[in-house]
Each structure stands twice: as C-alpha cells, then as structure tokens.
Amino acid sequence: MITVKDMLEYAFEIDLSHLAHSIYWALMTNQITLQDDSEKLKGIEFDEAEVQRMMEQNILDIGKVKLFVMDTENDWYVFYLAEHSLDAYRLHEELFRQNQHKITRADRLMINSMTFADTGVEESLYDHKKDVLMYPAYVGHAKAGERILYRMVGA
C-alpha cells in the first residue's frame, strides 16, 4: 500500500507543487490522514481555489531550488542548483573566474538520469539535490547532448 505520507514525500522530492498542496489541504481539512491509503485521495473533492491560493503563496516552500544551466565554450554546459540565476552567476564567477555566459532555467532536465564521472553513480538531479546541503551548488559540467557530469578543477 502506498500511503498518503508516501505520496506527500514523493511530491516534495520532485517539486510537484499542486499534488503536495492538494494533499496538504486534504490533511488540514481532516479528509485524510498520513497513514491512509493514497487511493483515498481519488475520492476527495478538492477546493481548487484554495489549493491554487496556497500554491501561489507557496506555503510549503516547494520548488525554491531550481536547476540552471550555463553555456560555456566548446559545447560545454555548467549545471547549478540555486534559488535564483544571479546566485548561479556569482558562484560560477567565484569558482571559475570566467565571464558570465547565457544561463537558462532547466528544471525539465531534473528528471534525466546523469552519470557523475568522478563516482560512476547514475541518478536523477532530483535525487542528487537531496544530498546537497547548501545552495547555490555547482553540480558539474556536461558536453552538449551527453549525460555525463564532470566536476572540473576549481570546484
């Protein structure tokens, strides 16, 4: 059985704001408990207006840390986890003493499995984010079109 608690933890892990806030709303209105079977969620008529309000206020602090990817020379891209692109820029300048390049928010890449060249571990960036203690954080460099992250000198 997958419990409501399991579903809520999953929603937090991969930044599923609507699901997490919906479950939270159902918990706060005593329609479910954390120990209930998650199938019980299917029978609840959620107050979508209230769930949307909670999401807009982000009362659960979901999705604050985002993935940013910065272009560099020779088809290399640098991956950062940060709350804001400026944080990623500052960390890049601090670590590599390079001029700023174009940076893109790339949350869609969080689900991709990447291989970390230094350890050989293959994991999604959502899983990697769980191990990061402070943000902004340098994740690694990858060649265009490849899914291998290299930690470059200076990090």
Side-chain angles (χ1 to χ4, degrees):
M1 168 178 82
I2 298 172
T3 66
V4 169
K5 181 181 180 199
D6 296 333
M7 289 294 290
L8 186 58
E9 288 173 354
Y10 175 74
F12 271 106
E13 284 178 18
I14 61 171
D15 296 334
L16 296 174
S17 183
H18 187 268
L19 178 60
H21 283 93
S22 295
I23 293 171
Y24 181 74
W25 176 85
L27 287 165
M28 294 298 96
T29 57
N30 296 316
Q31 297 191 43
I32 55 171
T33 68
L34 289 173
Q35 293 75 34
D36 286 339
D37 189 323
S38 62
E39 288 293 316
K40 191 171 181 181
L41 292 168
K42 293 178 181 177
I44 295 174
E45 190 170 319
F46 293 94
D47 181 342
E48 279 301 321
E50 181 61 14
V51 171
Q52 287 297 323
R53 184 195 66 75
M54 291 188 313
M55 285 175 57
E56 287 169 11
Q57 292 180 352
N58 198 12
I59 64 172
L60 298 176
D61 281 338
I62 291 179
K64 289 180 83 172
V65 175
K66 301 158 198 68
L67 178 66
F68 293 97
V69 178
M70 185 180 297
D71 296 0
T72 64
E73 297 86 29
N74 303 320
D75 289 330
W76 282 92
Y77 294 88
V78 188
F79 290 67
Y80 291 97
L81 291 168
E83 288 188 29
H84 303 284
S85 61
L86 290 176
D87 297 331
Y89 272 127
R90 280 192 290 270
L91 182 58
H92 184 77
E93 286 182 347
E94 181 183 315
L95 293 175
F96 300 103
R97 306 284 185 233
Q98 293 178 344
N99 293 333
Q100 296 179 357
H101 297 272
K102 179 182 172 196
I103 193 165
T104 304
R105 185 171 161 188
D107 294 333
R108 71 188 185 289
L109 299 176
M110 292 285 284
I111 61 170
N112 292 342
S113 288
M114 303 290 280
T115 301
F116 289 80
D118 56 345
T119 62
V121 171
E122 183 178 330
E123 66 182 347
S124 75
L125 295 179
Y126 278 117
D127 288 335
H128 179 73
K129 186 172 87 166
K130 293 178 207 173
D131 297 330
V132 176
L133 301 177
M134 289 180 40
Y135 300 99
Y138 166 68
V139 179
H141 282 70
K143 274 289 221 185
E146 295 182 9
R147 292 195 178 180
I148 300 173
L149 285 168
Y150 299 90
R151 305 274 301 172
M152 299 295 186
V153 176

